[in-house]
């Protein structure tokens, strides 16, 4: 009896989720969603597990949310997976993290190819271990012709470094006469950043209750809607993602997209 009730409850909640997805798709879906996937270490600590168990559980959520973002018709999903500051973590943890791209792509790349998802990466690739970089480069190559969701991983990424590098490139082009300093404006400068081929995020989600940007897309988030949740990333579900988009759409309706 209890199993039947549980099954009915699960069926009922999944029907309700499907109805919410249909309603979201009738309205304007955010084109670019960025996520700071925080709380993996705390999730593990609450369960007396090693931190890396939280990272591994968090990787499963990446798969779940990627599938849903692609189904919803979101154009770009940017995931903050490793910051330039994360190198300060214990070597064992960094070594574990650097193996996650291979594990993720090893099992998920065929589905990403099949589902027309394009894998991209923003960050300083040259500092990544060879095995990590090669796995990502293969995924980017295998999916470069895809035109569906752009799955953009921010790895060894830091926004202030990105802006400084952009300024250096602008100065170089000014000094070599490629551009004139009077032509420099926000649109021109944006083309000197790692996100030059992407639109700015419409919605930023940050999990685990932290209310800060942590040196993430500081230039690009100028006009982005923020949605913060106390939920730890490994506990982040499709329902949480749907809720964030519903809140985004309600804000757009109330205040307009100006
Ligand atoms: C290199 C650090 C890292 C950490 C990490 N975590 C740990 C921290 C955040 C929670 C998610 C799980 N994930 N999850 C997927 C990737 C991944 C990256 C590139 C790619 F092409 C395919 C997958 C990943 N990369």
């Amino acid at each position: 009896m209890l199993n039947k009730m549980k099954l009915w409850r699960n069926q009922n909640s999944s029907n309700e989720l499907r109805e919410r997805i249909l309603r979201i798709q009738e309205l304007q879906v955010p084109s670019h969603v960025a996520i700071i996937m925080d709380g993996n270490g705390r999730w593990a600590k609450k369960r007396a597990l090693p931190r890396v168990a939280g990272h591994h559980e968090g990787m499963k959520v990446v798969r779940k949310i990627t599938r849903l973002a692609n189904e919803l018709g979101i154009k770009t999903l940017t995931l903050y997976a490793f910051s330039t500051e994360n190198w300060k973590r214990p070597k064992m943890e960094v070594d574990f993290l650097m193996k996650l791209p291979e594990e993720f792509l090893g099992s998920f790349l065929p589905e990403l190819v099949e589902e027309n998802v394009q894998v991209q990466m923003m960050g300083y690739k040259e500092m990544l271990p060879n095995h990590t970089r090669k796995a990502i480069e293969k995924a980017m190559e295998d999916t470069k012709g895809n035109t569906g969701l752009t799955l953009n991983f921010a790895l060894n990424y830091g926004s202030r470094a990105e802006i400084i590098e952009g300024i250096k490139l602008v100065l170089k082009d000014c000094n070599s006469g490629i551009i004139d300093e009077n032509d420099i404006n926000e649109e021109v400068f944006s083309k000197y950043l790692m996100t030059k081929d992407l639109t700015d995020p419409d919605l930023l989600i940050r999990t685990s209750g932290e209310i800060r940007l942590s040196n993430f897309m500081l230039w690009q988030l100028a006009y982005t809607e923020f949605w913060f949740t106390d939920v730890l990333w490994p506990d982040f579900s499709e329902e949480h993602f749907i809720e964030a988009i519903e809140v985004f759409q309600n804000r757009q309706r109330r205040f307009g997209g100006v």
Side-chain angles (χ1 to χ4, degrees):
M1 184 61 183
L2 279 176
N3 282 340
K4 277 189 179 174
M5 279 183 64
K6 195 176 171 196
L7 184 66
W8 181 81
R9 230 186 356 258
N10 288 342
Q11 189 56 43
N12 212 19
S13 63
S14 64
N15 289 342
E16 189 236 335
L17 202 59
R18 301 241 52 91
E19 283 165 20
R20 289 169 71 183
I21 288 171
L22 289 171
R23 278 199 298 274
I24 277 176
Q25 290 172 315
E26 287 164 7
L27 300 171
Q28 188 172 359
V29 172
S31 174
H32 185 171
V33 177
I35 305 180
I36 302 177
M37 307 181 287
D38 213 356
N40 302 283
R42 253 174 290 165
W43 181 90
K45 189 175 179 183
K46 275 171 67 176
R47 291 159 178 76
L49 294 169
R51 285 174 56 83
V52 293
H55 296 319
H56 197 265
E57 196 64 25
M59 184 183 68
K60 296 175 192 170
V61 179
V62 170
R63 188 172 308 180
K64 206 166 46 172
I65 299 304
T66 299
R67 285 192 182 113
L68 180 53
N70 196 35
E71 180 184 349
L72 289 172
I74 288 167
K75 188 65 191 108
T76 307
L77 177 65
T78 295
L79 301 175
Y80 201 9
F82 193 87
S83 75
T84 45
E85 287 81 25
N86 288 153
W87 295 110
K88 299 169 191 162
R89 290 185 179 175
K91 181 180 183 314
M92 183 281 286
E93 186 175 346
V94 171
D95 289 349
F96 180 91
L97 287 166
M98 287 299 141
K99 292 189 181 99
L100 287 182
E102 293 152 90
E103 180 171 350
F104 179 90
L105 295 168
S107 59
F108 198 39
L109 183 56
E111 183 176 333
L112 293 173
V113 171
E114 181 64 31
E115 292 300 321
N116 195 26
V117 173
Q118 184 180 122
V119 175
Q120 285 189 9
M121 182 201 136
M122 69 177 190
Y124 298 96
K125 248 193 314 190
E126 53 286 348
M127 273 183 68
L128 299 177
N130 284 339
H131 62 89
T132 308
R133 195 181 62 254
K134 283 177 181 161
I136 296 169
E137 285 173 345
K138 176 183 184 320
M140 290 166 68
E141 178 61 27
D142 290 359
T143 62
K144 69 182 178 186
N146 287 354
T147 58
L149 173 76
T150 293
L151 180 57
N152 178 42
F153 287 98
L155 248 72
N156 194 27
Y157 171 83
S159 181
R160 285 186 171 183
E162 176 195 23
I163 292 169
I164 295 297
E165 289 307 309
I167 292 167
K168 288 178 180 176
L169 292 171
V170 168
L171 282 171
K172 191 166 162 235
D173 283 358
C174 278
N175 293 335
S176 51
I178 292 173
I179 60 167
D180 183 284
E181 64 179 90
N182 297 310
D183 296 330
I184 300 171
N185 57 33
E186 291 181 18
E187 187 183 355
V188 167
F189 182 68
S190 294
K191 297 302 176 192
Y192 286 85
L193 298 176
M194 295 177 183
T195 52
K196 61 184 171 52
D197 298 322
L198 303 176
T199 59
D200 289 340
D202 303 286
L203 172 62
L204 171 74
I205 295 170
R206 178 162 191 163
T207 57
S208 91
E210 302 298 340
I211 314 276
R212 57 178 186 269
L213 292 179
S214 299
N215 196 23
F216 182 60
M217 300 182 87
L218 302 177
W219 171 273
Q220 299 86 342
L221 294 173
Y223 300 101
T224 301
E225 291 285 346
F226 292 0
W227 189 77
F228 296 101
T229 175
D230 290 337
V231 173
L232 304 176
W233 178 251
D235 292 327
F236 192 78
S237 65
E238 289 97 335
E239 202 277 337
H240 294 121
F241 193 60
I242 294 293
E243 183 185 350
I245 295 173
E246 286 168 340
V247 167
F248 169 84
Q249 291 179 332
N250 287 338
R251 290 178 193 171
Q252 295 303 299
R253 186 174 47 79
R254 283 205 313 273
F255 305 114
V258 292

